[in-house]
Amino acid sequence: MADTSDAEWRYIGKADELAVKKCQRLHSAGGKQMDLALFHHQGRFYAMEAWCSHLGGPLFSGEIEDYKGRCHVMCPWHGYMFDLQNGTNDLGLRQEVHEVKVDSEKVYVRYKTELSLTAA
Ligand code: FES
């Protein structure tokens, strides 16, 4: 899990609207390198660094797959798999993951910058 010492709960949107897409990009007010990917799979939301730790592929354009009994995102560039819950990968790569909560049908991600579904 990421360092959350300066993180706050950031409102993303309504759960029923966000659940329509399996993968989407969250734009950070801190710049592109701090963007996140938001995933929805089997009724749960997950947030992870947007850019693949292999060579920078966009994980928000990936596919959700069950792999070894756990939910993973498959990077669209070279097919590496990352566990949605802890960001780990079979080859030792790792993505930062961030807490997500749903409160009164609203989705929040705990993160250090504001997040938006659309680019600024
Ligand atoms: S950039 Fe993601 S697997 Fe290579």
Side-chain angles (χ1 to χ4, degrees):
M1 191 65 69
D3 173 16
T4 55
S5 52
D6 57 350
E8 295 177 23
W9 288 108
R10 310 292 178 174
Y11 174 66
I12 307 300
K14 293 181 180 174
D16 59 343
E17 294 173 2
L18 293 170
V20 172
K21 290 187 180 175
K22 287 191 166 204
C23 308
Q24 54 195 313
R25 181 174 177 176
L26 298 179
H27 299 266
S28 168
K32 178 182 170 186
Q33 287 311 313
M34 294 181 69
D35 287 353
L36 299 182
L38 181 71
F39 304 108
H40 182 257
H41 184 64
Q42 296 179 342
R44 275 193 65 180
F45 289 96
Y46 305 86
M48 180 183 286
E49 292 177 273
W51 311 105
C52 179
S53 50
H54 178 222
L55 290 173
L59 293 178
F60 49 83
S61 299
E63 295 285 333
I64 307 285
E65 306 269 347
D66 283 323
Y67 176 65
K68 296 187 177 177
R70 292 175 63 89
C71 306
H72 286 70
V73 57
M74 183 171 72
C75 180
W77 282 10
H78 310 102
Y80 287 15
M81 307 286 276
F82 295 91
D83 188 305
L84 290 187
Q85 285 188 33
N86 59 27
T88 58
N89 158 281
D90 274 359
L91 301 175
L93 298 175
R94 187 178 201 114
Q95 297 292 120
E96 276 193 359
V97 294
H98 299 274
E99 289 178 272
V100 183
K101 72 175 180 182
V102 180
D103 187 5
S104 302
E105 300 301 313
K106 294 176 181 167
V107 175
Y108 300 83
V109 174
R110 192 159 152 76
Y111 199 52
K112 49 195 160 192
T113 71
E114 292 286 341
L115 294 165
S116 169
L117 291 164
T118 53

